[in-house]
Amino acid sequence: MKSDVTLKSNDRILILDAKYYEHSFQTNFGRETVHSANLYQIFAYVKNKAIENPGYKVGGMLLYAENGRKENVTYDMSGNPIIVKTLDLNQEFTEIRKQLDGVVKEYFFR
């Protein structure tokens, strides 16, 4: 298993997995939710990395291309934060970079 990006600083590790779908969220019983397979995948990455790095706070982030819906939610999955966030790619790269910098600050400097 190999994630898209792994960031490490001091006592924290953040695993990012970028996704793109025509519809970023699935509909179950009339309610939009995160694709469960994606949650299980990032959770597996996080748990494996936590085993490899005892003493580190390990979190995961599913980063979706924004396509009509903004999302920024954090789940606690067995003591690990799993963040689901959308990224607006319909703008200049300088603005996209600001969003990505914000992702890093949100996890490592809170």
Side-chain angles (χ1 to χ4, degrees), residues 28-48:
N28 286 324
F29 302 105
R31 195 170 142 237
E32 286 189 324
T33 61
V34 176
H35 291 272
S36 56
N38 295 344
L39 280 174
Y40 292 130
Q41 180 184 24
I42 195 74
F43 182 66
Y45 291 154
V46 166
K47 283 305 189 185
N48 282 316

Side-chain angles (χ1 to χ4, degrees), residues 2-67:
K2 186 141 173 69
S3 63
D4 292 333
V5 176
T6 300
L7 302 173
K8 187 175 187 179
S9 178
N10 300 324
D11 63 343
R12 292 180 181 227
I13 296 172
L14 179 62
I15 300 168
L16 287 102
D17 206 35
K19 303 290 185 188
Y20 179 81
Y21 296 96
E22 183 177 353
H23 302 285
S24 298
F25 300 89
Q26 64 187 7
T27 302
N28 286 324
F29 302 105
R31 195 170 142 237
E32 286 189 324
T33 61
V34 176
H35 291 272
S36 56
N38 295 344
L39 280 174
Y40 292 130
Q41 180 184 24
I42 195 74
F43 182 66
Y45 291 154
V46 166
K47 283 305 189 185
N48 282 316
K49 188 62 77 174
I51 290 168
E52 294 170 5
N53 295 274
Y56 281 83
K57 178 180 180 177
V58 181
M61 179 179 287
L62 290 171
L63 191 59
Y64 290 96
E66 186 179 306
N67 56 5

Side-chain angles (χ1 to χ4, degrees), residues 33-98:
T33 61
V34 176
H35 291 272
S36 56
N38 295 344
L39 280 174
Y40 292 130
Q41 180 184 24
I42 195 74
F43 182 66
Y45 291 154
V46 166
K47 283 305 189 185
N48 282 316
K49 188 62 77 174
I51 290 168
E52 294 170 5
N53 295 274
Y56 281 83
K57 178 180 180 177
V58 181
M61 179 179 287
L62 290 171
L63 191 59
Y64 290 96
E66 186 179 306
N67 56 5
R69 176 179 169 172
K70 290 182 186 266
E71 191 67 54
N72 186 8
V73 64
T74 302
Y75 300 99
D76 182 305
M77 294 180 71
S78 296
N80 299 93
I82 304 295
I83 303 160
V84 178
K85 187 166 185 65
T86 53
L87 184 67
D88 183 0
L89 301 176
N90 191 25
Q91 52 189 324
E92 295 296 322
F93 182 76
T94 54
E95 294 303 312
I96 294 170
R97 180 179 177 182
K98 285 180 188 177

